[in-house]
């Protein structure tokens, strides 16, 4: 039986166009999903859109559309993002799908039947931007601590979930390391906040109707997080076979602003419903503007990932983000920095290695892989163990640095050995070593740059193999290679015009 690996991203609010932060999160999850596929795991990768709630309702009204029409239109943009960025999700879930609504209601009812949901009245602060209730003490000068916008004061009848009951249990789980929150600093953050207090959670709204109807009272809709979080189980067809196979999730990948929701709120819901808890909550950093500020629509600094993928080779953008930003830290995108990495590392090093290897194979051996073995001078330059260690520690930028170090070593090998001056067995050895090393490089780069990796493998006349077989000498002698096309175009200086989002 193959090991399963179930990975999810947060589901995005389709209240406006996707931005680079959404793309970055899907990219990080895609890298992990593909890496696990290379390791031979049975992977399920879920992403999607969070389509109910007041924020969406307001956005639909602003656009003069019914909420369902509005989300139908916007969800397409998020699907297009997945396609253009080559995200290998196995399913795209939308919370307005009847299957999801059914599960969300089922869980609400289950918790109600256990006596852990009661009717009351909510009076307090609410930020519609993050769809979150706040206590006065958590506000920042009366404003939402995440969005910096004034909070609404709500006063309405609401159902409450006895979340406070789970405080000690969750604290115990966190302290005993039974539940993993990565990076470690984030774990401390949650522990401290949880230790200070945990109140019951308002889990329904009665002042508007765009949401999952509360199964026991048709005048209420479920609080949007009490709906959205359940996508992680409805997305694998809870409670059926697929759920049995993949649950508990191995990784919930999220941004730092929604950690509380994915630990305390989500775990309490699961504990109450008697469902096992997920294994790891993995928190990535934020993509900010080059000056370190949050991307902002009003300032026009939001980067549109769909346009980015039209303007540049999407693999260059994928590579740039994963190589440039240490995972878990905040970072920024600039076209100047993208250009530098694309030109120096992808065009000059990797593209050049592919080009010269295939050209020499063509020139000296009619495009056929010779019969030989890869020289230790090259094999010893690749530290596969180290790459695996970095991937396990989510140090994607270091794994890439190690792989690209091997690319450099291959280029240096060509310069030192001067194959154009050699012939016979020696020439065969050099050509085989280079082609076989390229196969290994293409395989290791597949999670990061899948299209370029597949192109490289196709040019070498072979196909991606699992990581267990990523060792050398697997390229078959006599294989016909294809003449190289340009893998990575250089980005010219005048291409530095900044890409911004068109508002709607
Ligand atoms: N709908 C909720 C999540 C529900 S999950 C059950 C939500 N949506 S969101 O559209 O606001 O954010 C989706 C994801 O994008 C979150 O993980 C969030 O942290 C992430 N990001 C939002 N802005 C970001 C950046 N600027 N950079 C990186 N990720 C960012 O929250």
């Amino acid at each position: 039986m193959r090991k399963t690996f179930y990975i999810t991203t947060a589901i995005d609010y389709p209240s406006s166009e996707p931005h680079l932060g959404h793309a970055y999160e899907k990219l990080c999850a895609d890298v992990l999903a593909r890496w696990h596929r290379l390791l031979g795991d049975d992977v399920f990768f879920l992403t999607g859109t969070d389509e109910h709630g007041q924020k969406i309702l307001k956005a639909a009204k602003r656009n003069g559309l019914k909420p369902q029409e509005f989300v139908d239109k916007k969800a397409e943009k998020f699907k297009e993002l997945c396609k253009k960025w080559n995200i290998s999700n196995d399913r795209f879930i939308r919370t307005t799908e009847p299957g999801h609504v059914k599960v969300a209601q089922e869980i609400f009812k289950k918790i109600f039947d256990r006596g852990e949901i009661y009717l009351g009245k909510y009076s307090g602060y609410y930020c519609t931007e993050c769809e979150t209730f706040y206590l006065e003490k958590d506000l920042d000068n009366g404003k939402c601590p995440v969005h910096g916008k004034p909070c609404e004061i709500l006063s309405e009848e609401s159902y409450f979930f006895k979340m406070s009951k789970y405080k000690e249990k969750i604290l115990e789980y966190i302290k005993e390391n039974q539940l993993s929150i990565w990076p470690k600093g984030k774990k401390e953050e949650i522990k401290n906040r949880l230790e200070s207090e945990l109140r019951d959670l308002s889990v329904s709204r009665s002042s508007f109707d765009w949401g999952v109807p509360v199964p026991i009272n048709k005048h209420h809709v479920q609080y949007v997080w009490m709906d959205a979080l359940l996508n992680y189980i409805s997305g694998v067809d809870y409670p059926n076979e697929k759920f049995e196979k993949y649950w508990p999730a191995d990784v919930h990948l999220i941004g730092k602003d929604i950690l509380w929701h994915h630990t305390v709120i989500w775990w309490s819901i699961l504990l109450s419903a008697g469902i096992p808890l997920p294994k790891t909550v993995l928190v990535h950093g934020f993509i900010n503007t080059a000056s370190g500020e949050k991307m902002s629509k009003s300032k026009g600094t939001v980067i549109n990932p769909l346009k980015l993928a039209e303007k540049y080779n999407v693999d260059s953008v994928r590579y740039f983000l994963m190589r440039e930003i240490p995972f878990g830290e905040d970072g920024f995108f600039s076209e100047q920095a993208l250009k530098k990495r694309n030109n120096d590392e992808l065009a000059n090093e990797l593209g050049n290695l592919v080009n010269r290897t295939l050209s020499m194979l063509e020139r000296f051996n009619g495009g056929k892989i010779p019969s030989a073995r890869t020289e230790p001078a090259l094999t010893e330059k690749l530290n596969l163990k180290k790459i695996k260690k970095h991937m396990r520690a989510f140090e994607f930028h270091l794994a890439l640095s190690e792989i690209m170090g091997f690319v450099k070593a291959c280029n240096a090998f060509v310069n030192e050995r001067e194959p154009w001056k050699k012939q016979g067995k020696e020439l065969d050895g050099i050509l085989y070593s280079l082609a076989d090393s390229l196969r290994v490089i293409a395989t290791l780069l597949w999670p990061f740059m899948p299209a370029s990796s597949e192109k490289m493998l196709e040019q070498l006349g072979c196909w991606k193999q699992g990581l267990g077989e990523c060792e050398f000498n697997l390229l078959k002698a006599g294989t016909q290679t294809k003449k190289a096309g340009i893998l990575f175009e250089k980005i010219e200086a005048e291409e530095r015009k900044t890409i911004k989002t068109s508002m709607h």
Side-chain angles (χ1 to χ4, degrees), residues 192-457:
N192 294 340
R193 191 169 157 193
L194 195 52
E195 263 161 358
S196 80
E197 71 174 323
L198 183 63
R199 300 199 175 188
D200 288 352
L201 179 73
S202 163
V203 286
S204 78
R205 302 288 309 271
S206 52
S207 55
F208 63 90
D209 65 358
W210 180 240
V212 171
V214 163
I216 47 162
N217 185 337
K218 64 177 187 326
H219 302 298
H220 286 236
V221 290
Q222 293 186 199
Y223 169 43
V224 65
W225 281 96
M226 183 70 181
D227 155 4
L229 286 163
L230 295 160
N231 93 88
Y232 299 133
I233 60 170
S234 67
V236 280
D237 303 343
Y238 171 86
N240 300 323
E241 211 180 302
K242 194 178 274 168
F243 172 78
E244 284 296 324
K245 179 174 178 191
Y246 290 106
W247 194 260
D250 293 85
V251 173
H252 284 325
L253 179 67
I254 55 163
K256 59 187 175 181
D257 54 332
I258 53 174
L259 179 59
W260 176 259
H261 309 76
H262 278 80
T263 47
V264 178
I265 298 182
W266 182 220
W267 295 347
S268 303
I269 294 173
L270 290 169
L271 284 169
S272 178
I275 298 171
L277 302 184
K279 294 180 197 159
T280 304
V281 177
L282 190 60
V283 185
H284 63 76
F286 262 44
I287 308 277
N288 295 321
T289 64
S291 54
E293 288 172 52
K294 244 178 122 168
M295 285 189 273
S296 139
K297 246 204 266 183
S298 52
K299 288 186 190 155
T301 51
V302 179
I303 298 170
N304 182 331
L306 293 167
K307 291 199 173 151
L308 209 53
E310 274 162 23
K311 184 168 175 183
Y312 298 109
N313 176 347
V314 79
D315 274 352
S316 299
V317 182
R318 287 176 61 119
Y319 174 79
F320 170 76
L321 291 169
M322 299 312 291
R323 176 69 191 87
E324 182 85 4
I325 307 170
F327 182 78
E329 292 178 21
D330 289 352
F332 66 87
F333 172 84
S334 91
E335 295 190 79
Q336 212 172 341
L338 166 74
K339 177 185 157 223
K340 182 151 178 42
R341 286 216 184 261
N342 176 77
N343 293 1
D344 296 354
E345 295 164 30
L346 297 180
N348 287 351
E349 286 291 346
L350 179 59
N352 182 31
L353 177 66
V354 174
N355 218 10
R356 65 207 302 209
T357 301
L358 289 164
S359 299
M360 287 189 293
L361 275 164
E362 174 75 25
R363 220 165 80 218
F364 304 132
N365 212 38
K368 285 209 165 32
I369 301 290
S371 171
R373 290 187 68 76
T374 300
E375 295 187 18
L378 272 188
T379 56
E380 67 198 17
K381 292 265 162 50
L382 180 78
N383 193 338
L384 191 56
K385 258 201 189 133
K386 203 164 163 196
I387 294 169
K388 286 187 173 176
K389 195 181 118 246
H390 287 317
M391 291 302 287
R392 268 198 305 275
F394 312 118
E395 294 163 342
F396 306 126
H397 67 301
L398 296 181
L400 272 176
S401 163
E402 195 64 33
I403 301 168
M404 295 308 281
F406 183 57
V407 170
K408 267 195 167 153
C410 290
N411 272 322
F413 175 82
V414 178
N415 299 344
E416 277 155 27
R417 301 296 300 274
E418 301 182 310
W420 46 89
K421 293 187 182 161
K422 307 281 162 42
Q423 49 189 331
K425 277 215 167 352
E426 193 176 0
L427 176 62
D428 284 355
I430 298 173
L431 293 180
Y432 185 88
S433 301
L434 288 169
D436 191 43
S437 298
L438 262 187
R439 180 190 58 76
V440 175
I441 290 165
T443 306
L444 290 170
L445 286 177
W446 184 70
F448 301 94
M449 298 190 284
S452 309
S453 152
E454 285 166 13
K455 218 161 152 189
M456 281 165 68
L457 291 167

Side-chain angles (χ1 to χ4, degrees), residues 457-473:
L457 291 167
E458 197 196 322
Q459 288 176 339
L460 287 168
C462 60
W463 185 236
K464 171 175 65 70
Q465 289 164 304
L467 256 195
E469 301 138 293
C470 197
E471 299 89 17
F472 293 90
N473 299 310

Side-chain angles (χ1 to χ4, degrees), residues 98-110:
H100 168 78
V101 169
K102 187 168 166 266
V103 170
Q105 289 182 318
E106 226 174 284
I107 298 297
F108 194 103
K109 179 83 171 39
K110 199 167 183 178

